[in-house]
Amino acid sequence: EIVLTQSPGTLSLSPGERATLSCRASQSVSSDYVAWYQHKPGQAPRLLIYGASNRDTGIPGRFSASGSGTDFTLTISRLEPEDFAVYYCQQGAGSPVGFTFGPGTRVDIK
Amino acid sequence: QVHLQESGPGLVKPSETLSLTCTVSGASINSYYWGWIRQPPGKGLEWIGYIYYSGRTNYNASLRSRVTISVDTSKRQFSLKLLSVTATDTAVYFCARVPAVTDRDYWYFDLWGRGTLVTVSS
């Protein structure tokens, strides 16, 4: 089973700052099956990135992502007030494809 | 606009069966995969399983012995049954869509319901 580790667990930043979130897999995964989500309490998780680096429709350009193999990164270039949330990475693997989520990174207002 | 809505009992007794339904509106269920994910209080997301409209399923290995996901295309609904629940099954349960058809597609959840809290307690 592939395990995802996200770091840091919590990121305390001010609006306007840059956020860099890391997701590491216990073994190499296909970039086609890597996604990032934003989750706020009481809301549905929101897809940000699929295929490791593709922004979903309507996602602002300040969100970008990259990575391959075991290391993936989500970057928020300049934090807006609405960006403070928990961010999860997800990977898929196997045939049929099975999913795993990382434990999440909380982005807090400093 | 595509909308997913979970429904079902909010309270289930230990050892009983948790049953939830997800209703899809604004889109056909006759394509793609449809899945369930849960989030225990204070914890992260856990994938439960998914179903293709044709009935093909795949489940998280840790839950496979207790989970069944089914689909009713005529009602545009898919359902989750989790047997022999315990307090550790207390969670917010989300339904979601996987916009993939083959292993060569991207695999991710693009549309989610708002989730429904299910508490396991006597």
Side-chain angles (χ1 to χ4, degrees):
Chain A
E1 178 188 345
I2 297 175
V3 177
L4 297 179
T5 303
Q6 290 188 243
S7 61
T10 301
L11 200 50
S12 295
L13 295 168
S14 300
E17 290 192 297
R18 181 184 187 91
T20 303
L21 288 67
S22 173
C23 177
R24 177 163 291 177
S26 57
Q27 59 186 273
S28 185
V29 301
S30 167
S31 296
D32 287 352
Y33 296 169
V34 173
W36 289 89
Y37 303 86
Q38 177 192 70
H39 194 201
K40 297 179 182 179
Q43 296 186 17
R46 177 192 185 192
L47 173 70
L48 300 174
I49 301 287
Y50 65 91
S53 62
N54 302 286
R55 270 192 305 274
D56 192 31
T57 304
I59 300 303
R62 64 181 180 273
F63 291 92
S64 63
S66 63
S68 64
T70 60
D71 292 304
F72 299 86
T73 300
L74 174 70
T75 301
I76 310 171
S77 59
R78 289 179 58 85
L79 283 164
E80 297 287 341
E82 62 268 27
D83 298 337
F84 292 93
V86 179
Y87 292 84
Y88 294 96
C89 60
Q90 164 244 294
Q91 71 85 29
S95 183
V97 176
F99 291 102
T100 306
F101 289 93
T105 290
R106 181 181 302 277
V107 179
D108 280 345
I109 299 177
K110 187 173 181 181
Chain B
Q1 184 176 357
V2 184
H3 184 68
L4 283 69
Q5 178 68 58
E6 304 89 351
S7 60
L11 181 64
V12 181
K13 291 182 168 55
S15 80
E16 295 190 346
T17 298
L18 180 158
S19 297
L20 295 174
T21 295
C22 182
T23 301
V24 180
S25 58
S28 172
I29 202 171
N30 291 337
S31 59
Y32 304 141
Y33 289 84
W34 304 88
W36 290 95
I37 301 99
R38 69 181 183 180
Q39 183 178 33
K43 297 188 177 182
L45 300 171
E46 179 183 32
W47 169 65
I48 299 171
Y50 58 67
I51 189 165
Y52 196 50
Y53 76 96
S54 63
R56 175 190 177 195
T57 56
N58 189 26
Y59 302 129
N60 187 322
S62 67
L63 297 169
R64 186 168 292 141
S65 63
R66 298 194 292 131
V67 172
T68 301
I69 298 176
S70 58
V71 64
D72 185 335
T73 55
S74 65
K75 294 181 179 179
R76 288 200 279 187
Q77 293 178 334
F78 60 104
S79 299
L80 168 70
K81 289 191 185 301
L82 182 63
L83 306 178
S84 304
V85 298
T86 69
T88 59
D89 295 310
T90 294
V92 175
Y93 286 76
F94 298 96
C95 60
R97 184 179 78 171
V98 179
V101 177
T102 74
D103 291 354
R104 294 185 298 277
D105 294 321
Y106 296 114
W107 281 70
Y108 55 92
F109 299 93
D110 68 335
L111 297 171
W112 295 66
R114 293 180 63 90
T116 186
L117 174 63
V118 179
T119 301
V120 178
S121 175
S122 56

